[in-house]
Amino acid sequence: MPLRTRSALDEQLGMRYYSTERDGIGGVLRERVEDFIVVELALGKVPCTPGCSKELGGGAGDYLWLLLEKRGIDTVTALRALARAIGVDRRKLSVAGLKDAKAVAFQLVCVEGVESESVPMQIGDKLRVHDVFRMPFKLTTGMLYGNFFSVNVRKLEAPLEEAAKRVGEIAEELRRAGGAPNYYGYQRFGTIRPITHVVGKYVLLGRLEDAVWELLTRVFPLESPKAKEFRSYLASTRDIQGALKLVPRRLHHERAILEHLAKRPGDYAGALRKLPVAVRSLFVEAYQAYLFNLVLSRRLEEGLPLSKPVPGDLVALLAGSGLRLIRCRDSNVDKLRALVERGEAEVVGNVFGYATVLAEGLPGMIEREVLASEGVSLELFQVRSMPEAATRGTVRPLALRPESFEWFCVDGDDPCISFSFVLRKGMFATVLLREFVKPCDPARQGF
């Protein structure tokens, strides 16, 4: 049986196990904003750092691309500030992905119909524009290879020499295991209020009233006192007008829902539609992520490998363009394992949607058991109560294997262990680092 997490939050998010058994180093990931640095890697693994426009081929075109550095602010808030600064609608800005809020992050932003002279180099104290250049095409989410991370872990629970020993042993365990379980990480669900997937399940089931009240009234320990007061009052009174007087200004989504319900009591579908389509889709995507995590945990329980296909698995070929999947069977298992070992293929699992074709054999049995235990079916992902959030489903690698992984110790008054690595897009640095830290309280430890 694999090592089980000690974190209640991990359990809530379906992240039940580790690939490694060695004790972790404990510690905190984001003691300072500079302790967590993220740099986008464009296709071709080009680092998006100052001066990257030459390597990206910048020069002429209708689209203005910017290299944005943000410090301690989330991508959505950063884009709002940037849009105000250059005088455009926020919806005209596009990015290749969202980046951590509590971090120093370098990422590309794209806008059409704006002159480079109108872009300020500094926006407040948290945003800086380094490069401004033109490209002949729009930036989209597919235009990323992945991200480079540099992370310092401080407040270690063991002396530095012992912590270093543990890191070395865990790294070797990960190598032998073929990687960490490629869970969807904490950011997909929220650490302060980890309910995004719960709301998503209610939306999927058509229980929109439950979805709204879960979003508005569920109270968590790390919320601000004002947020707790607002949610507790609304939960006990269902007084919409009174709650509008208490809702903190920064809770934009909650306010939008309340204002709609004040005008149209009981119209929960309309209330949820006051949120951006991307947010509504995020609820369902978070529930997809939760189900994927549950399946992956069950796979570990059954002793199935992450990076070695077994009959019934789906295997994705990495060569060529487009996604090509092969079903693993007794007749081709040896050939597929050889492809995976050479880095030409990888084992993937289903991220459920209405068009998903379930795995077969033991992997398929696990998928069916998880769906049954949750009381959901693939057809529900058509989301008849909110079709704009429907999803066909996709696949995701089962193993998280970092590239260019390095670490070293920093001694002194504030000792730490510094990690650096590259992850492909869609993979979470916190999922890799939880193997080394083994956090008991991820939210308080900077995850």
Side-chain angles (χ1 to χ4, degrees):
M1 181 67 69
L3 180 65
R4 189 147 187 159
T5 181
R6 297 175 295 168
S7 160
L9 179 59
D10 283 6
E11 293 281 355
Q12 292 171 26
L13 304 183
M15 303 164 61
R16 294 175 177 171
Y17 298 102
Y18 299 101
S19 280
T20 58
E21 296 184 356
R22 184 67 170 91
D23 289 342
I25 61 176
V28 176
L29 301 190
R30 309 173 204 254
E31 184 73 6
R32 309 164 191 170
V33 69
E34 296 83 3
D35 282 337
F36 204 104
I37 298 174
V38 190
V39 177
E40 283 187 340
L41 299 179
L43 295 178
K45 300 187 183 182
V46 176
C48 296
T49 52
C52 67
S53 59
K54 293 181 180 179
E55 287 191 77
L56 293 174
D62 294 333
Y63 295 92
L64 195 67
W65 287 32
L66 321 173
L67 176 62
L68 184 68
E69 176 189 348
K70 62 184 193 66
R71 304 172 67 88
I73 183 173
D74 67 271
T75 300
V76 174
T77 303
L79 292 179
R80 289 197 191 105
L82 177 60
R84 286 195 300 270
I86 62 179
V88 300
D89 189 298
R90 153 70 185 89
R91 290 170 292 185
K92 289 190 174 182
L93 302 177
S94 64
V95 294
L98 302 180
K99 297 292 168 283
D100 296 75
K102 296 180 180 178
V104 177
F106 293 83
Q107 70 177 120
L108 295 170
V109 183
C110 174
V111 64
E112 186 179 13
V114 172
E115 297 300 322
S116 57
E117 294 78 13
S118 67
V119 180
M121 294 296 102
Q122 190 74 39
I123 304 170
D125 60 352
K126 294 183 177 181
L127 297 178
R128 183 178 179 186
V129 178
H130 287 281
D131 292 10
V132 181
F133 55 99
R134 293 206 166 270
M135 296 287 276
F137 47 82
K138 183 179 180 178
L139 176 67
T140 66
T141 53
M143 295 179 183
L144 265 191
Y145 174 81
N147 298 282
F148 166 82
F149 295 90
S150 175
V151 183
N152 296 325
V153 181
R154 302 184 187 275
K155 296 188 175 179
L156 307 170
E157 70 178 26
L160 190 58
E161 183 176 350
E162 170 62 21
K165 180 182 177 184
R166 294 182 188 180
V167 170
E169 292 173 352
I170 291 170
E172 176 58 22
E173 279 191 87
L174 281 174
R175 186 193 66 78
R176 292 198 306 267
N182 190 27
Y183 290 126
Y184 281 95
Y186 307 96
Q187 294 88 337
R188 181 55 59 98
F189 308 97
T191 50
I192 304 301
R193 299 191 76 233
I195 61 164
T196 313
H197 62 300
V198 180
V199 175
K201 181 175 182 179
Y202 285 141
V203 170
L204 207 67
L205 295 172
R207 295 167 55 182
L208 301 187
E209 180 176 357
D210 290 331
V212 166
W213 291 109
E214 179 78 15
L215 185 60
L216 292 178
T217 65
R218 183 86 173 270
V219 180
F220 287 88
L222 296 183
E223 292 189 84
S224 71
K226 288 186 177 181
K228 290 179 182 177
E229 179 188 9
F230 148 68
R231 297 190 198 282
S232 297
Y233 174 82
L234 184 59
S236 61
T237 66
R238 297 290 175 107
D239 176 9
I240 302 294
Q241 295 293 349
L244 275 168
K245 298 175 183 177
L246 293 175
V247 61
R249 291 181 60 184
R250 63 180 183 80
L251 298 183
H252 306 291
H253 293 161
E254 285 86 340
R255 180 175 294 278
I257 289 173
L258 287 170
E259 287 175 348
H260 181 84
L261 290 177
K263 297 174 184 176
R264 300 189 62 180
D267 181 18
Y268 296 106
L272 285 171
R273 286 194 168 94
K274 289 300 178 180
L275 305 181
V277 173
V279 173
R280 284 175 261 153
S281 296
L282 184 62
F283 294 141
V284 176
E285 290 165 7
Y287 187 59
Q288 285 179 293
Y290 172 68
L291 293 174
F292 180 88
N293 286 357
L294 287 180
V295 170
L296 194 49
S297 289
R298 282 281 290 112
R299 184 183 180 97
L300 293 171
E301 282 181 357
E302 293 291 338
L304 297 181
L306 299 175
S307 55
K308 182 182 294 186
V310 301
D313 271 330
L314 294 171
V315 176
L317 299 183
L318 299 179
S321 59
L323 179 66
R324 184 182 172 194
L325 298 176
I326 298 177
R327 179 85 65 184
C328 181
R329 305 186 188 281
D330 290 329
S331 58
N332 64 4
V333 62
D334 292 335
K335 180 179 178 180
L336 291 179
R337 286 180 177 179
L339 287 173
V340 172
E341 288 175 5
R342 294 199 300 267
E344 298 174 16
E346 61 187 348
V347 188
V348 296
N350 279 312
V351 180
F352 297 129
Y354 63 81
T356 293
V357 178
L358 295 175
E360 297 176 358
L362 182 53
M365 184 191 76
I366 292 171
E367 290 182 342
R368 289 171 175 82
E369 286 178 353
V370 167
L371 288 170
S373 68
E374 284 288 302
V376 297
S377 65
L378 296 180
E379 291 75 20
L380 288 176
F381 286 93
Q382 293 177 352
V383 198
R384 299 192 187 281
S385 63
M386 197 166 287
E388 62 271 26
T391 173
R392 291 179 54 85
T394 185
V395 294
R396 177 179 175 82
L398 297 183
L400 184 155
R401 290 183 283 186
E403 302 172 23
S404 305
F405 178 79
E406 296 181 354
W407 64 277
F408 59 89
C409 299
V410 180
D411 207 347
D413 295 335
D414 186 15
C416 71
I417 292 184
S418 182
F419 296 87
S420 65
F421 49 89
V422 169
L423 295 179
R424 287 155 50 196
K425 61 184 178 183
M427 295 183 174
F428 292 80
T430 49
V431 170
L432 175 64
L433 292 168
R434 76 186 274 275
E435 294 280 345
F436 292 93
V437 174
K438 303 286 195 314
C440 291
D441 192 343
R444 294 184 187 277
Q445 290 177 252
F447 281 78

